Amino acid sequence: MRLHHICFSLLFCFASCKGGGNDTTNIIVPPPTGDLPTDVTFWLTKSDKSVLLKKQNVSLLFKDTVNVYPTIKVDDGTTYQTIDGFGYCLTDGSATLISKLPATTQDALLKELFGTDSTSIGVSYLRVSIGASDLSATTYTYDDMPAGQTDVNLDHFSIGTQQSDLMQILKKIVAIAPNIKILGSPWSAPVWMKDNGSFVGGSLKPEYYATYAQYFVKYIQAMKAEGITIDAITPQNEPLHGGNNPSMVMQAADQATFIRTALGPAFKSAGITTKIICYDHNADRPDYPATVLQNAGAKPYVDGSAFHLYGGDISALTQVHNAFPDKNIYFTEQWVGAPGDFASNLQWHMTNLIIGATRNWSRNVLEWNLASDPNYDPHTAGGCSTCMGALTISADVTRNVSYYIIAHAAKFVKLGSTRIATNVTSQLDNVAFKTPDGKRVLIVINNASTPQSFNIQFNGKVVTPTLTNGAVGTYIW
């Protein structure tokens, strides 16, 4: 028996070792297969697009390690706001493009976007326009009348066929994600209610405040009848920008009066619990939501304030939160301008929105249009002609930078998660959350010009990942 073992060992060595003639065969032992042991799951997107939202097979084990790397300390004992979700604005144009896809492609895409399994990104919040936005094919409201005619009793109100694509897609989304939150925002009131009789600019006539309040009531009730719950509305998209098509100007004092005298009482009388969120415009005018919330009659009806970031600094959201800590903060729109630059867009949006807005108390983050075609259509005459969707839809579907920006949060930070404390170090901008099922999620972007190794410290132990410059990592444990 011993001789047999010796002979076998010699034969194995002869077959596997170098030397012994040209006919020797080298046996290469393959690397281990399967997932490496890890305490922390790590999903990565690189700025050069070589890796796009891909789970990494690396071993990140918490250890009692001391090293010289910068440290992000995660403290789930310090909590901030609850998270409502991450997502997009589902414009009429987005819905039309999705609805034109072949049935199997459309169903697979919607499941990928709104599902919660391992192959989906878990979008949990949508914004829709009440009537047309500038990314509709044409302008319309739910109560358009011939020139010179009015409809004070809203007898002609109908959500009708203008948004048939939107309704079809929304119903499919709600079937996939029943708890998705939906925010409705109007770009314009019916033009017969406005002082200039036009879809572009103008203001709501005070004599129509009560009628317009009922317009919102009818909208929410009509959507509910279709099986779609509107979680919140804003009284006006971008109320200080009257140059879009459509658009309407609503000054802060006027919005406060509209909410105090008409919209709030109409919701209360109709038993509507849909949230009223004021402002819905840029961070450079925190005085606008402050004016609304300082109005003692309007404030009880208002859930919070909504912001965009085409002007100002994201820190203005904290300024408003600190002044009105009993009111919520939302981030409801930011576009990517075509053709865009993936690396710079990824860096700016992750730093200022996914990380910046949530570190400044926002309960959500919404990128602008979900989908556009290769020509950035459809849009109204005078509407945005260079708004690049998170998806480009033509014969096939292309995923653009906004897809990955939202996915890095939405896939892991579920409805009801809570932001928890972290520090920012060495240009490693970051934000962390605790999910309803007890997991911690840390989102980090390396804003330095070189790759960085760093520590994630939790409960006194650390793991030490590395991010290339410009890369985004989501870490889950």
Side-chain angles (χ1 to χ4, degrees):
M1 183 68 71
R2 182 177 301 169
L3 180 63
H4 172 78
H5 278 201
I6 293 170
C7 292
F8 180 83
S9 298
L10 289 170
L11 286 168
F12 180 78
C13 182
F14 177 78
S16 61
C17 300
K18 287 187 176 181
N22 294 332
D23 293 332
T24 301
T25 301
N26 293 322
I27 296 177
I28 300 173
V29 179
T33 59
D35 291 339
L36 296 174
T38 189
D39 293 328
V40 178
T41 305
F42 167 33
W43 291 71
L44 174 67
T45 293
K46 290 188 175 182
S47 60
D48 64 1
K49 298 194 282 187
S50 61
V51 179
L52 294 168
L53 191 68
K54 186 172 179 60
K55 185 179 179 181
Q56 302 300 290
N57 189 16
V58 294
S59 184
L60 294 172
L61 300 170
F62 281 107
K63 299 176 182 177
D64 296 315
T65 301
V66 177
N67 59 45
V68 298
Y69 298 125
T71 298
I72 298 171
K73 298 177 182 178
V74 180
D75 174 16
D76 63 1
T78 302
T79 60
Y80 302 92
Q81 77 276 21
T82 301
I83 298 301
D84 283 348
F86 300 86
Y88 304 99
C89 301
L90 180 66
T91 61
D92 285 353
S94 299
T96 295
L97 292 168
I98 294 170
S99 70
K100 289 179 179 177
L101 289 169
T104 54
T105 305
Q106 180 189 127
D107 290 345
L109 178 63
L110 293 176
K111 181 177 177 293
E112 175 189 334
L113 290 169
F114 300 99
T116 55
D117 65 15
S118 61
T119 64
S120 304
I121 65 168
V123 170
S124 49
Y125 206 116
L126 286 176
R127 183 176 180 227
V128 297
S129 60
I130 300 175
S133 76
D134 59 308
L135 294 190
S136 300
T138 187
T139 55
Y140 67 92
T141 72
Y142 302 133
D143 201 333
D144 293 325
M145 298 296 294
Q149 296 185 31
T150 63
D151 183 24
V152 177
N153 295 324
L154 301 177
D155 294 326
H156 297 279
F157 179 95
S158 173
I159 57 175
T161 59
Q162 291 276 26
Q163 289 187 305
S164 59
D165 291 337
L166 180 71
M167 298 301 293
Q168 171 207 341
I169 297 301
L170 274 178
K171 288 177 181 180
K172 291 186 176 184
I173 290 169
V174 169
I176 297 167
N179 295 321
I180 194 164
K181 291 189 178 292
I182 301 172
L183 166 71
S185 301
W187 267 237
S188 176
V191 300
W192 53 267
M193 297 187 190
K194 298 170 69 174
D195 58 11
N196 71 344
S198 170
F199 271 106
V200 179
S203 298
L204 182 67
K205 292 182 177 181
E207 60 262 36
Y208 290 120
Y209 279 11
T211 301
Y212 196 40
Q214 289 303 317
Y215 181 92
F216 281 92
V217 169
K218 283 181 171 288
Y219 166 72
I220 292 164
Q221 291 173 337
M223 294 295 277
K224 186 71 174 177
E226 296 288 340
I228 299 164
T229 299
I230 301 299
D231 180 71
I233 59 92
T234 62
Q236 177 59 42
N237 169 67
E238 298 189 342
L240 298 178
H241 175 35
N244 203 357
N245 184 25
S247 59
M248 185 171 80
V249 174
M250 184 179 279
Q251 299 294 340
D254 295 332
Q255 188 164 112
T257 300
F258 174 58
I259 293 169
R260 173 178 62 83
T261 64
L263 189 61
F267 277 22
K268 184 177 180 180
S269 177
I272 286 175
T273 57
T274 298
K275 303 177 186 78
I276 298 171
I277 301 172
C278 71
Y279 190 41
D280 205 6
H281 208 169
N282 291 331
D284 59 352
R285 291 292 303 274
D287 60 299
Y288 189 115
T291 297
V292 176
L293 294 172
Q294 285 165 355
N295 187 299
K299 184 180 179 181
Y301 295 116
V302 178
D303 174 84
S305 310
F307 293 87
H308 307 175
L309 196 58
Y310 305 111
D313 189 89
I314 199 66
S315 61
L317 281 60
T318 288
Q319 180 182 336
V320 175
H321 165 80
N322 289 344
F324 306 95
D326 56 331
K327 298 300 181 182
N328 291 312
I329 299 290
Y330 300 89
F331 191 90
T332 50
E333 181 190 316
Q334 195 70 27
W335 79 320
V336 171
D341 173 74
F342 187 94
S344 59
N345 286 141
L346 180 71
Q347 182 178 31
W348 191 92
H349 285 246
M350 292 300 305
T351 302
N352 288 285
L353 305 187
I354 299 298
I355 294 168
T358 54
R359 287 190 75 95
N360 285 279
W361 295 95
S362 185
R363 294 173 69 99
N364 70 342
V365 175
L366 302 181
E367 290 280 304
W368 180 215
N369 50 318
L370 175 57
S372 59
D373 74 8
N375 297 315
Y376 316 113
D377 287 328
H379 58 81
T380 62
C384 182
S385 59
T386 53
C387 284
M388 184 169 70
L391 309 171
T392 299
I393 296 180
S394 53
D396 52 12
V397 178
T398 303
R399 289 148 189 82
N400 300 319
V401 67
S402 289
Y403 175 93
Y404 299 102
I405 291 163
I406 291 298
H408 261 280
K411 185 173 178 69
F412 313 103
V413 184
K414 302 304 182 184
L415 170 67
S417 297
T418 304
R419 181 170 70 92
I420 58 178
T422 62
N423 61 301
V424 175
T425 179
S426 303
Q427 294 182 278
L428 295 164
D429 290 279
N430 68 83
V431 66
F433 307 89
K434 186 174 181 180
T435 67
D437 61 358
K439 291 186 180 297
R440 288 88 185 168
V441 179
L442 174 69
I443 303 170
V444 184
I445 182 167
N446 178 9
N447 279 322
S449 57
T450 56
Q452 290 202 74
S453 295
F454 61 96
N455 299 316
I456 301 171
Q457 184 183 92
F458 181 71
N459 283 349
K461 295 181 181 294
V462 301
V463 297
T464 309
T466 299
L467 276 179
T468 56
N469 38 307
V472 177
T474 298
Y475 303 87
I476 309 101
W477 69 94

